[in-house]
Each structure stands twice: as C-alpha cells, then as structure tokens.
Amino acid sequence: MPIILWKLVFILLTTTVIGIFSCCYSNVIPEGDPNIPAIAKYFCTKGRYEEVNPYLIQDILAVNRSILKPPSARCRQIHLTAIIRHGTRYPTAKNVQKMQKLYELVRSSATAKHSWLQEIQTQWKMWYTEEMDGRLVQKGVDDHKHLAIRLSKLFPSMISEEKLRGRLIKFITSSKHRCINSTLSFQAGLTELWNIKDMEFDHAVNDALMRFFDQCDRFVQEVEKNPSALTEVDKFKQGPEMKRVQQKIADRLGVPYDLITDDMAEAAFYMCAYEFAIKTVNSPWCHLFDEVDAQVMEYAIDLKQFWKRGYGHDINSKSSCILFHDAFSRLDQAVAESKSDQPVTEAVTVQVGHAETLLPLLTLLGFFKDNNTLMSTNYASQTQRSFRTSCMLPYAANLLLVLYDCGRDGLRLQPLLNEKPVAFPGLNDQQASMPLYQDVREHYKHLLRGCDFETECRLFTNPTDA
Ligand SMILES: *[C@@H]1O[C@H](CO)[C@@H](O)[C@H](O)[C@H]1NC(C)=O
Ligand SMILES: *[C@@H]1O[C@H](CO)[C@@H](O)[C@H](O)[C@H]1NC(C)=O
Ligand SMILES: *[C@@H]1O[C@H](CO)[C@@H](O)[C@H](O)[C@H]1NC(C)=O
C-alpha cells in the first residue's frame, strides 16, 4: 500500500480509537427514559455497565465483531487475558450506616413539600442492612453471565465450548465473596449457553494477584493509612463546590444547612445510585441532585480514586507490578509456544477482582492520564478530563488483552476496555488499536525490566535511588 494510504488508515484508526476513548458521555443514551436517573452517568464506581455501553440497554447480548478490525484476514487469536471487576453489589456495612442516618434525618426532619419527598417519607422503606456488606446481588450475577456470553460471541475461537471443555480457560479470583460469585456466574453464563452438565470448572483464589493492594506494605503505609495522602480530597469536600451541593440538598429537603454534611450528600448520591444499579429503578432519592450537583459529586469521587488508586501517588500504580508481570509472562509464553508451532497451553485467563485491582493497572499502563493533576482547586478546568471512573470502572468493568498471530503481519496485541478497543497511550503504531506485540514490549520495557513488586512495596526505601 502506498505511504499516503497508510497515513489515511492511521488517521482513521486513531480518530475512531480516540473518539471511542475520549469519554463515554458522547455515547447516545436514550434521552428522557423515565426509568433511568438523569444523573446515572455520573455514578463512578457505583455505575451500571449499561451506562458505559448504552446499546446494551436494548439488547444485553449485543456484540459487534467488526470493531476488532484485525489488519488482515490472516490474524488469528491465540491468547486472551480478561481482568474483570466483580458485578453489581450491595453497599458495604459502612455505607449502609451512612444511608441509614440519612434516611432517619429525612424521615424526621425534612419539611419541604414535594411529592417525591412524601414518597420517601411514607412509602419508601429502608431495606439495606449491614449484613449485605458488599455481597453480589442478582444483577451482579447477570452482569457476569451476560459478559461471558458476549465475550464468547466476540471471541468465538477463544471463549469456546471446546476450549472450556479442554480446560484451556483458567479462572483466577480475589477471595472476596462478590468476586468468587462473579467468577461462578461467568462460568455459569458459559455452561448454560452450551448446556454443559457433565463437567465442573474450578477457579484459583489468588489475593497476591487480585488484591495486591492489601499486600503492598508501602502502599498501605504511605497511602491507605496515611490521611495526608488524600489532602486534596478533604479540601474539595470542604470547598465551595461541595458546600453549594450540600446547601441545595438542604433546600430541597427543607432542613437547616448544617444538617447536610459531605457524608450525608455522599450517602444521598449512593442511595440514588444503588437503587438504580441493584433494582433498575429511578428512585425518589435521585431528586436530591441535578446534573450540576452530580458532576461535583463525581469529581469528589474521582479525586479520591485519583489520589488513592491512580496517578496521585506513584506507589498506587506500582503496587500492581505483580499483576502486570503476570499478564506479560503469560503473553510471552503464548508467543513462545506459537513461534515454535505448539498449541498455546493457556488460551484464556479470566481474572476477577476489584475496581482497586483495575485502576492501578490501567494507571501503570498510562491510560486516562490528563495533562494536569486533579486538585481540589481545579474542578472547573477538569470538566474535559479523561480520568472519569464513571466511564472506566462501572460494575463488571474489564480490561482485555488479546494476542493475535497475524502470520507475516506479526504477533499483535489488542487491548479492549469495557469491550471497546483502546490504544496503548503513547504507543505510536500504524495499527493503533492492534500494535505489534514487540512494539508493546518495547513501549513498556522500563516496566518489564523493573516494576518489581517486592522492591516497590518495601517500606522505607526508595527504589528509584537503588
Ligand atoms: C459495528 O462496528 C462498525 C465499526 O466500528 C460500524 O461501522 C458498524 O456500524 C457497527 N454496526 C452496528 C450494528 O452497530
Ligand atoms: C454467592 O455464593 C454463596 C456461597 O456459594 C451463596 O450462598 C450465595 O447465595 C451466592 N450469592 C449469589 C448472589 O449468587
Ligand atoms: C496536553 O498537552 C499536550 C502537550 O503540551 C498538548 O499537545 C495537548 O493538546 C494537551 N491536551 C489537552 C487536553 O489539553
């Protein structure tokens, strides 16, 4: 192909990739559906997967294989790693307590006269209990069953009955109940699809891989247990934007301003979010926010994720070194086997973890890095930021790494986030969404050579000085 045509292909590819990538809000969400809260696209890590891929609202099993766009008909998939967040879950005990306090306040003190407020006070029942503590809900079971079926349609040669029966699909999960149940649900999606009744499939529990953040001493000491690591979050919560949201909530309820703390505002936001994510209802609680308020709430949560799991502190992403190396060593093995014309021994790896598993890894790989740091003071200039957990990390969020053998077009690696092809940030390649595997390795060579979990996570040493 002449150079000029290649350039055209490159421009087309990068624009589609970036177009998809820049923000999930540009997707068409059915306007004015009374069952969907107007603020549903700002629910951050409490958001529905369907808000990120709105075509799924019509058909939860919809798949468009032409998005994969392999560079030639020669390409065949040889390995797939899927790192998936658990599905929709109940609130944790701590959040249930906050929601309970809010509910009692609204029942006892709200004086405003709105029909939705009356509905909360007379009909709505506080049904969340502390025992629910973060367990997977039925919607979460469905999230993973449906995802499994869609992935089997998107990658029919990889997630296939033959490979499942041949035990070439391996399952690894965090020990948390919601993750184990998500893994079982993913498997059930496949066994029900193919009506497999004569076999059972196991899974390995591996917290070192899927909950690395608990085992990284330096992260625990310097971020998790260190209040000053989240100073920006605290400042924003005390700042003018949040104050305004709290006042508006108080006005809508008809209660004194000092009763609506930032915790109360957060509980109200989550009340609307959980009712929607778990039961798919547009609950009366959602009337406590307009879109402007929801954007402020979203920023407060993104700010926390940024400083606790994202670019805010270097150790956040480095804590995922173990998962990074795990993925690349499997890719290397598949490449080696493929090059020596052997069958790939581990065709598919399904790894189920948390938002806290995915975000550090996405950060390590350089995804969603904006020019400016998210701060308490730059809310207004961050409206176009790419770091948006609502788009990145809904329930059942997933990062897929798909390895292709394209014959004389080489071995190629395609990353997909939430079932959409993305480009490795900073990696310039003519096939932006499906670069040569060797180019990806070259791009991340500093991490492949270093990024040692033990070293990075050791306390009181600075590995960069070593
Ligand atoms: C599938 O994806 C291709 C490429 O992105 C697009 O052109 C086509 O319109 C999509 N088809 C459907 C049914 O959405
Ligand atoms: C999750 O798994 C546990 C134990 O296997 C089971 O008791 C529970 O009902 C499951 N929950 C869901 C939502 O599937
Ligand atoms: C970020 O900075 C680069 C280099 O200075 C610039 O080219 C780019 O347009 C900036 N991006 C945004 C979104 O401001």
Side-chain angles (χ1 to χ4, degrees):
M1 212 179 325
I3 277 276
I4 188 83
L5 269 182
W6 268 119
K7 278 196 177 150
L8 198 64
V9 167
F10 176 57
I11 288 165
L12 278 174
L13 266 173
T14 43
T15 45
T16 45
V17 167
I18 289 162
I20 293 164
F21 193 53
S22 57
C23 192
C24 59
Y25 297 175
S26 54
N27 285 331
V28 190
I29 295 186
E31 279 299 327
D33 184 334
N35 299 315
I36 302 179
I39 62 173
K41 52 185 186 279
Y42 305 110
F43 286 156
C44 300
T45 57
K46 310 287 179 278
R48 253 193 347 170
Y49 192 75
E50 288 88 327
E51 259 54 54
V52 174
N53 289 322
Y55 59 88
L56 297 175
I57 296 171
Q58 292 296 319
D59 176 6
I60 195 68
L61 300 178
V63 161
N64 182 353
R65 292 199 66 210
S66 55
I67 58 165
L68 298 178
K69 297 193 183 106
S72 80
R74 266 188 297 275
C75 299
R76 94 194 142 82
Q77 292 147 9
I78 57 170
H79 174 80
L80 187 156
T81 283
I83 304 172
I84 314 174
R85 185 190 179 202
H86 59 74
T88 309
R89 62 163 172 84
Y90 287 116
T92 55
K94 204 176 91 196
N95 275 331
V96 171
Q97 286 168 9
K98 290 184 187 177
M99 288 153 74
Q100 180 73 38
K101 269 177 69 183
L102 171 77
Y103 175 64
E104 279 158 21
L105 177 112
V106 171
R107 289 268 299 207
S108 64
S109 312
T111 61
K113 303 274 171 257
H114 303 291
S115 57
W116 56 264
L117 187 53
Q118 246 176 4
E119 194 186 332
I120 294 177
Q121 289 176 317
T122 61
Q123 290 165 38
W124 194 86
K125 293 267 176 304
M126 178 66 193
W127 64 282
Y128 298 96
T129 62
E130 288 183 37
E131 300 84 70
M132 290 175 172
D133 198 19
R135 288 192 350 245
L136 196 71
V137 298
Q138 184 57 43
K139 172 68 167 73
V141 170
D142 296 341
D143 288 338
H144 272 255
K145 281 190 178 182
H146 292 148
L147 177 64
I149 296 171
R150 287 197 305 274
L151 293 184
S152 77
K153 287 163 79 179
L154 194 54
F155 304 105
S157 66
M158 299 306 291
I159 302 191
S160 65
E161 179 174 358
E162 190 194 340
K163 287 217 167 40
L164 185 65
R165 283 186 175 276
R167 303 201 183 278
L168 296 170
I169 304 181
K170 188 168 153 189
F171 296 89
I172 302 171
T173 175
S174 137
S175 64
K176 287 278 168 178
H177 225 129
R178 53 183 171 275
C179 296
I180 294 181
N181 278 18
S182 294
T183 308
L184 298 176
S185 306
F186 191 99
Q187 291 174 338
L190 299 181
T191 53
E192 286 166 19
L193 175 66
W194 297 315
N195 198 23
I196 299 179
K197 297 200 173 121
D198 55 336
M199 283 183 87
E200 299 208 334
F201 301 96
D202 57 5
H203 58 262
V205 172
N206 188 339
D207 281 347
L209 272 186
M210 305 316 293
R211 293 180 60 81
F212 49 74
F213 41 89
D214 282 343
Q215 308 194 3
C216 180
D217 291 338
R218 183 147 172 242
F219 169 76
V220 171
Q221 238 12 249
E222 293 182 4
V223 179
E224 181 101 75
K225 289 189 179 167
N226 175 7
S228 71
L230 300 184
T231 307
E232 287 303 313
V233 182
D234 298 332
K235 282 192 192 154
F236 187 73
K237 285 186 174 173
Q238 304 306 317
E241 292 92 354
M242 267 308 277
K243 274 279 159 320
R244 186 73 197 113
V245 171
Q246 289 163 229
Q247 288 171 356
K248 282 165 79 180
I249 293 174
D251 285 341
R252 288 181 182 118
L253 290 171
V255 301
Y257 285 167
D258 62 353
L259 285 188
I260 304 299
T261 59
D262 58 296
D263 262 5
M264 283 287 182
E266 192 181 79
F269 195 59
Y270 284 154
M271 198 74 105
C272 170
Y274 278 118
E275 288 286 282
F276 182 59
I278 296 174
K279 296 175 150 185
T280 324
V281 297
N282 187 352
S283 90
W285 292 97
C286 301
H287 286 277
L288 288 171
F289 300 89
D290 61 27
E291 198 159 347
V292 173
D293 306 330
Q295 287 167 349
V296 173
M297 298 302 297
E298 184 196 35
Y299 190 69
I301 298 166
D302 283 351
L303 201 52
K304 182 168 174 191
Q305 295 291 339
F306 181 91
W307 289 93
K308 200 166 174 186
R309 309 287 173 181
Y311 293 101
H313 301 286
D314 190 50
I315 189 61
N316 297 353
S317 61
K318 291 289 170 57
S319 65
S320 74
C321 286
I322 187 163
L323 187 57
F324 171 88
H325 281 293
D326 173 67
F328 272 88
S329 67
R330 235 178 296 108
L331 289 166
D332 282 347
Q333 193 193 329
V335 164
E337 287 168 341
S338 176
K339 278 186 173 162
S340 54
D341 287 324
Q342 286 165 14
V344 173
T345 43
E346 197 169 326
V348 177
T349 313
V350 175
Q351 299 180 296
V352 180
H354 306 263
E356 296 81 0
T357 312
L358 268 171
L359 187 49
L361 182 65
L362 291 172
T363 303
L364 189 70
L365 295 172
F367 287 103
F368 305 105
K369 191 172 195 334
D370 296 299
N371 280 352
N372 299 313
T373 302
L374 274 68
M375 306 286 283
S376 58
T377 48
N378 63 0
Y379 169 70
S381 67
Q382 288 289 354
T383 52
Q384 297 303 312
R385 70 186 180 280
S386 67
F387 193 91
R388 275 210 140 83
T389 55
S390 299
C391 305
M392 303 146 69
L393 295 166
Y395 292 118
N398 51 83
L399 173 69
L400 309 180
L401 297 171
V402 190
L403 187 67
Y404 291 77
D405 186 342
C406 297
R408 61 184 154 81
D409 294 322
L411 287 153
R412 292 177 178 270
L413 186 66
Q414 179 171 54
L416 294 95
L417 188 69
N418 300 329
E419 298 170 69
K420 289 178 293 254
V422 290
F424 287 110
L427 180 63
N428 290 318
D429 192 285
Q430 289 181 327
Q431 289 289 341
S433 79
M434 208 182 281
L436 288 168
Y437 180 60
Q438 69 201 45
D439 290 351
V440 177
R441 281 195 113 255
E442 176 65 21
H443 184 61
Y444 291 118
K445 64 169 185 259
H446 59 293
L447 295 174
L448 286 163
R449 281 181 201 146
C451 199
D452 174 57
F453 181 84
E454 298 295 327
T455 314
E456 301 291 345
C457 292
R458 199 174 298 145
L459 272 171
F460 310 122
T461 54
N462 186 350
T464 54
D465 292 344

